[in-house]
Amino acid sequence: MTATANLTKKMFTLVFVRERNQLLLGMKKRGFGKGKWNGFGGKLQANETIVQAAKRELEEECGLVANKLEKIGLIDFEFQNDPVIFEVHVFKTDSYHGEVKESEEMQPQWFDMDDIPYDKMWADDRIWFPVMFSGANFYAYFLFKDFSTILTYKLKELSEIKSHFTEFRNSANGEPVTLPQEE
């Protein structure tokens, strides 16, 4: 692991659209995460708030405009031997307008909640999605060896969303964690 003092953080957004018992995901067509299903989001632009960035990314990537966003989580992603931490602010919405449409970056598709394509998603999703689906707020920290191997993680349900990065990172001993098995 990298020394904490030398780390830098980059902020990102991630939005999940729910309608009844369905979740809208997008197949990433280019760039980081290409070939994986995910929510909609990305980097903040200059002078943009986290909520503004989340709304902009949602519209750019799938054509929907969020009427309301609810922040439900915060996740810090660290990749071994990389000093950049991805701080991801997670939102959900079921209040939106517009029509779902494919963009240059994402191919959107609705999935039944009991048919989420975890095998074509980031390895961490099967760990924290159940918390998101339960309606709880959460903070999570994931340390990846590479883009598919999680070395360790911590996940905590919260009443107030805040970072536990230093606490979780310092308690992580770097040993592999046994991940939940597919059913």
Side-chain angles (χ1 to χ4, degrees), residues 32-94:
F32 188 75
K34 180 180 177 182
K36 295 185 184 295
W37 291 103
N38 204 353
F40 304 91
K43 299 177 206 150
L44 277 68
Q45 294 180 350
N47 302 316
E48 189 174 47
T49 68
I50 293 168
V51 171
Q52 289 169 336
K55 287 183 175 186
R56 175 186 51 77
E57 289 282 353
L58 179 65
E59 185 174 9
E60 287 176 3
E61 292 183 348
C62 74
L64 297 181
V65 177
N67 299 325
K68 178 183 78 166
L69 288 176
E70 180 184 347
K71 187 169 183 179
I72 58 171
L74 180 63
I75 306 173
D76 285 313
F77 292 102
E78 182 175 5
F79 294 89
Q80 194 173 44
N81 301 317
D82 187 340
V84 179
I85 304 301
F86 291 12
E87 180 182 284
V88 180
H89 297 257
V90 184
F91 297 87
K92 71 176 180 180
T93 187
D94 60 3

